[in-house]
Amino acid sequence: MKARPRHSRTRHRVVFKHHDKKMAAMAAPQPRSPVAADSESRESSLARDEGHVGLVPSIPGLFTSEPPIRDALATDSSQIQDETVEECMPFLTGYGHDNCNAHGIPPLLRDRHVKFLQKQLGLLPSMFKGADPSRPWIFYWCLAGLSLLGEDVAGYRSRLIETVRPMQNETGGFAGGFGQTSHLATTYAAVLSLALVGGDEAYELVDRRSMWKWLCSLKQPDGGFQMAVGGEEDVRGAYCASVLISLLNIPLDLSSDSPACSAGHTDLFGGLPEWVGRCMSGGVSASPGFEAHGAYAFCALGCLSILDSPHRTIPKYFDVPRLLSWLSSRQYAPEGGFSGRTNKLVDGCYSHWVGGCWPLIEASLRGPEGQEDQHADHPLTQADNSLFSRNGLIRYIFCCCQDLSRRGGLRDKPSKYSDAYHTCYVLSGLSSAQHKWTLISARVDAAMLDGDRWSVAPFTSGEQIFEESDRVETTHPVYVIPQHKVDACQQYFTSRPGF
């Protein structure tokens, strides 16, 4: 895990705009010597739960000390980074939490987070009117988050169907709200939400013929997809379109009026992996030639893992060692969380967008279980090796990302409010860190979009710093919904070829 460069200078108190004075005081310690700070933080975070009364938590110094490498050049970015470290360090040592285990990890406030998400699925105040075009996303974030917390979301089926039905346009795809333009992002969120609640009635809501026609209109001559007709073309479109095509068993043949036909493409996936490959720039950018971003890396890896088995497509189109290096650099110490871009701050949502890349990278290196990888230069030597600090991410999530108030939910960092978006993706990243996904068999033919077989098990290698009762449920490394929901959706539409 990369230690962040820091420079020597007077530190500024962190101001929390959204928290009460007590919380702000906890997260803004007064200057003191490193030795005194380490001693005080450990003493203040004595475990109070019944099993660990009187014990000083065992917290690695990496998460209680400032980075040893410091850059003498002061910039706005370095100042904000310093303030973020000061903001997080008290929480990383257990300060502010009522109960911590022997590793300084507080419990998962599961019930509060469940109630928070359930409330988000109810009537929302007028301040949310600006989020009307994102309604399918709110459904997905809440339903996916509840599933990760072990809740059965099938009870939302009827409400979801009636709410989403008017968002589907006759020309294909789903809009963010009634009367709006169809968009790949909201279509992705709507379809995944329907898959989460499951059932024939939910599946049958999707008009696959108009969906196919609409996807053909988004397919571009260079191989990529626009997000909406006449809209931007980026790697999100490649991923969202691939998910929709593979979940709904959309025919691959292009309609004769598709813009992609002018370049000689004959199917929806024509030229797509090559286009995604051109987005590689150390990390992965939204489109060729732009800045690398963690969320785009996940979208690209997810897309390639749908087009063919990841151990074949990812090394073929990406420089895996370079990408691995870039992704590794996104995890910071002492925070333990991930940033989305170079010289940016940690954010809880990247627990998924970057943390979710690792199962796919690992599958690209190892290949199917029992099959020696022939494509990567650096295959893993042991099945339980991790390419990132799982415990570092877990510590950041439990200590810094939980809203400690009665509000519940999960957040970017301690000074931020919780919201449905962060709750979903922080939990997804936590699931990835707590479990190990393995590609057990690869499809024989790339055209078999549901041919790969994955298995998942709790990750138990090494020291487990969280309580077993705080392990969340699993989510598919490509589709980001439970695996059995993916299987049920694909089986339903596979049994209904054509239109």
Side-chain angles (χ1 to χ4, degrees), residues 126-143:
S126 59
M127 62 180 291
F128 278 85
K129 63 183 180 182
D132 181 65
S134 300
R135 291 174 71 193
W137 277 114
I138 296 175
F139 306 152
Y140 167 71
W141 296 329
C142 292
L143 294 171

Side-chain angles (χ1 to χ4, degrees), residues 421-467:
Y421 167 82
H422 282 90
T423 301
C424 170
Y425 289 126
V426 170
L427 289 172
S428 178
L430 177 60
S431 176
S432 183
Q434 291 179 329
H435 296 89
K436 181 177 179 60
W437 284 88
T438 302
L439 180 66
I440 57 175
S441 64
R443 68 193 83 174
V444 177
D445 184 348
M448 300 170 57
L449 299 183
D450 61 346
D452 291 340
R453 291 292 175 263
W454 296 82
S455 68
V456 62
F459 185 85
T460 57
S461 178
E463 187 175 44
Q464 179 173 313
I465 63 174
F466 62 93
E467 301 301 313

Side-chain angles (χ1 to χ4, degrees), residues 16 18 26 36 39 59 64 97 128-129 155 165 179 298 330 337 361 365 370 383 428 491:
F16 283 19
H18 305 306
M26 288 192 299
S39 174
I59 305 175
T64 61
H97 299 284
F128 278 85
K129 63 183 180 182
R165 189 187 304 277
F298 175 81
R330 302 281 63 75
I361 288 289
L365 294 171
S428 178
Q491 288 169 9

Side-chain angles (χ1 to χ4, degrees), residues 201-282:
E201 187 181 2
Y203 302 146
E204 290 168 1
L205 174 63
V206 181
D207 184 341
R208 291 172 61 248
R209 175 179 285 277
S210 65
M211 179 78 74
W212 166 74
K213 186 73 173 177
W214 178 64
L215 287 170
C216 288
S217 71
L218 300 178
K219 178 70 175 179
Q220 297 301 295
D222 61 5
F225 283 88
Q226 291 181 334
M227 293 298 291
V229 175
E232 69 273 29
E233 178 186 9
D234 59 45
V235 77
R236 295 175 304 157
Y239 171 65
C240 291
S242 299
V243 166
L244 295 169
I245 292 166
S246 59
L247 277 182
L248 303 176
N249 192 29
I250 300 292
L252 293 179
D253 294 339
L254 281 175
S255 62
S256 59
D257 57 350
S258 171
C261 291
S262 64
H265 295 303
T266 59
D267 66 81
L268 285 166
F269 286 158
L272 183 57
E274 291 80 8
W275 186 88
V276 171
R278 292 196 293 274
C279 295
M280 173 81 188
S281 58

